Amino acid sequence: MDNIIKYDNADAMAEAIAKLIEKEAKIKAEQNEQLFIALSGGNTPKLLFNLLAKHYKNSILWNNIRFYWVDERCVAPNHEESNYGVVKELLFNNIDINNSQIERMIGESNPSEEASRYSSVLSSQLIMLNETPVFDLILLGMGDDGHTASIFPNQLHLLDSKNLCEVGEHPSSGQKRVTLTSKVINNAKEIIFVVTGKSKAQILKEILNKEENYLQYPSAHIKPSHGKLIWMLDNDASSML
Ligand code: 6PG
């Protein structure tokens, strides 16, 4: 069974993630190493970004962390839907961090060119295991349709990609997105799914109980090859478990 941690509410969950980042950044600093983190977008992580900016501003060794993205909408960085733009507004603008610590996906570039560029960035900047970059920590969300990163249920072929990054497409809006593939995600040392809200409870139950057809959901294909997977759920999201 996957490692499932339930929280009374999203605030308690955000606090736990903030403390984990603080701890892991400190350990890396003591080893004279950097902490390589990939962030997801959407609404759920906003609480964490606000908390980090307000209450961990001076306690986390920000210049010991390198920030990357799990996925990015193909929009300009100042667009309201930019995953990078959200983190910049809520977190980076409020802490002391060098831009050199931040490696955004360039949403305004040609999507397939950016997927290729970002793949090269990851290969040159991260340590490799099984010829694949290794993140220390990846924070994932799960959509109401069971997608994760920007791998949607109608694009399951992206899960078999040999590439590090691919171009996904939002099934209803058609918005292009650059996304890490499961090849990179599953190669991480630690993957945390951060899931809140009743709208996710049914699919979570199907995935975590491995119910019939659960593999139709991209989130079900996140299986770390050597690291650990933790599902951090609030009471609403875990209400059917
Ligand atoms: C994105 C995310 C995406 C997100 C899920 C959950 O760019 O939208 O990376 O995978 O994590 O859609 O989003 P919510 O947190 O808004 O439910």
Side-chain angles (χ1 to χ4, degrees), residues 40-44 71 73 83 141-143 147-149 177 200:
S40 283
N43 294 311
T44 305
D71 60 343
R73 290 82 179 278
N83 289 339
M142 187 185 81
H147 82 261
T148 190
R177 306 212 177 157
K200 318 234 173 132

Side-chain angles (χ1 to χ4, degrees), residues 61 74 154 235:
L61 303 168
C74 292
N154 65 335
N235 277 342

Side-chain angles (χ1 to χ4, degrees), residues 179-192:
T179 184
L180 297 186
T181 58
S182 46
K183 175 182 171 78
V184 181
I185 296 170
N186 285 334
N187 203 45
K189 290 180 184 169
E190 186 171 26
I191 304 166
I192 301 181

Side-chain angles (χ1 to χ4, degrees), residues 32 145 206:
N32 285 320
D145 59 358
E206 292 177 46

